């Protein structure tokens, strides 16, 4: 996995920010990249196939190094969808949901990089659990996967510049350019949202009519 580090992005941004500390530039690049990945859903990965073991409901999601889970996009078991459910709904549907067993049909989050299956598997299956997830860099990440920067780097740089140039009374301040740079970032984010919806394909977004 090729990584584009914040340091390797400096040539694209530092010349336009005279006397701005390198650490501050890298901080803003990281912050902008995290925001883009969080808001757009474009940074998606397919986790390694997971085993279903009898009595074990927790599944650790295999995420790229220095990333964290934003959300599960899709999950299947033996070709069948495994859908999200919240614990309040489970409590209403089954008072014994914490100990119910069977073939998993749902999952719920734990707040980390792990999900729990419902019901608890009652058999070890040969079928595998597959998941596509949305991720973002962690706060201490050294950079982002190179493909993400290739696609969205111009917008990331524009967004980082906008926040730094909006700072008043600095040698690199330039409030007159902030609106234009923020607009450039927003266009990139819109493209990234579209890429996420279409799973980075060239298919048109499908509009399903509904009766009013």
């Amino acid at each position: 996995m090729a990584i584009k580090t914040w340091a390797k992005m400096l040539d694209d941004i530092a010349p336009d920010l005279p006397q701005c500390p390198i650490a501050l530039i890298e901080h803003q690049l990281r912050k902008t990249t995290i925001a883009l990945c969080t808001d757009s859903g474009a940074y998606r990965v397919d986790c390694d196939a997971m085993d279903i073991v009898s009595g074990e409901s927790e599944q650790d999601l295999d995420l790229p190094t220095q990333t964290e889970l934003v959300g599960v996009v899709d999950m299947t078991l033996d070709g069948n969808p495994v859908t999200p459910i919240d614990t309040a709904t489970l409590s209403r549907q089954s008072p014994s949901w914490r100990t119910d067993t069977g073939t998993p049909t749902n999952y719920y989050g734990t707040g980390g990089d792990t999900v729990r299956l419902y019901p608890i598997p009652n058999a070890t299956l040969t079928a595998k659990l597959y998941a596509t997830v949305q991720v973002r860099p962690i706060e201490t990440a050294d950079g982002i996967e190179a493909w993400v920067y290739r696609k969205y780097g111009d917008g990331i740089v524009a967004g980082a510049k906008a926040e730094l140039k909006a700072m008043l009374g600095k040698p690199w301040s330039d409030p007159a350019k902030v609106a234009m740079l923020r607009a450039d970032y927003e266009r990139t984010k819109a493209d990234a949202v579209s890429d996420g919806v279409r799973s980075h394909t060239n298919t048109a977004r499908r509009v399903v009519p509904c009766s009013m």
Side-chain angles (χ1 to χ4, degrees):
M1 180 177 66
I3 295 293
K4 183 79 169 183
T5 64
W6 316 124
K8 289 181 179 178
M9 300 177 193
L10 291 174
D11 286 346
D12 298 331
I13 185 172
D16 200 29
L17 298 166
Q19 300 181 49
C20 187
I22 297 302
L24 181 57
I25 297 175
E26 291 187 357
H27 168 77
Q28 194 59 56
L29 284 167
R30 182 185 304 109
K31 184 177 178 181
T32 304
T33 303
I34 290 173
L36 179 72
C37 293
T38 302
D39 296 340
S40 71
Y43 190 7
R44 297 182 175 193
V45 294
D46 294 324
C47 297
D48 290 343
M50 293 167 276
D51 294 324
I52 299 295
V53 179
S54 179
E56 296 185 9
S57 66
E58 286 198 0
Q59 292 285 346
D60 294 325
L61 301 171
D62 182 41
L63 306 182
T65 303
Q66 297 190 351
T67 68
E68 62 186 3
L69 182 69
V70 177
V72 176
V73 177
D74 180 69
M75 184 176 288
T76 60
L77 175 61
D78 198 21
N80 298 309
V82 179
T83 57
I85 193 168
D86 60 81
T87 55
T89 300
L90 285 173
S91 294
R92 290 193 299 271
Q93 291 181 353
S94 173
S96 60
W97 67 271
R98 291 180 176 84
T99 55
D100 289 345
T101 61
T103 300
T105 55
N106 302 99
Y107 71 88
Y108 58 95
T110 64
D113 297 341
T114 300
V115 296
R116 290 194 177 101
L117 301 176
Y118 173 83
I120 300 169
N122 62 355
T124 297
L125 305 179
T126 57
K128 301 288 187 180
L129 183 72
Y130 294 93
T132 300
V133 298
Q134 177 189 348
V135 297
R136 65 188 174 200
I138 59 175
E139 290 287 345
T140 56
D142 297 319
I144 188 73
E145 280 196 67
W147 73 263
V148 178
Y149 190 74
R150 283 195 301 271
K151 291 197 75 169
Y152 310 118
D154 288 347
I156 290 170
V157 167
K161 278 185 184 180
E163 299 311 308
L164 293 170
K165 286 180 177 293
M167 300 174 69
L168 300 179
K170 303 296 183 182
W172 59 87
S173 301
D174 194 349
K177 291 185 178 179
V178 171
M180 178 188 68
L181 290 165
R182 284 179 175 163
D184 289 343
Y185 170 77
E186 290 297 329
R187 280 192 291 270
T188 295
K189 185 172 77 172
D191 289 342
V193 169
S194 179
D195 288 342
V197 169
R198 295 181 292 107
S199 301
H200 295 275
T201 68
N202 291 323
T203 56
R205 292 183 65 175
R206 184 181 179 188
V207 178
V208 179
C210 60
S211 57
M212 300 298 291

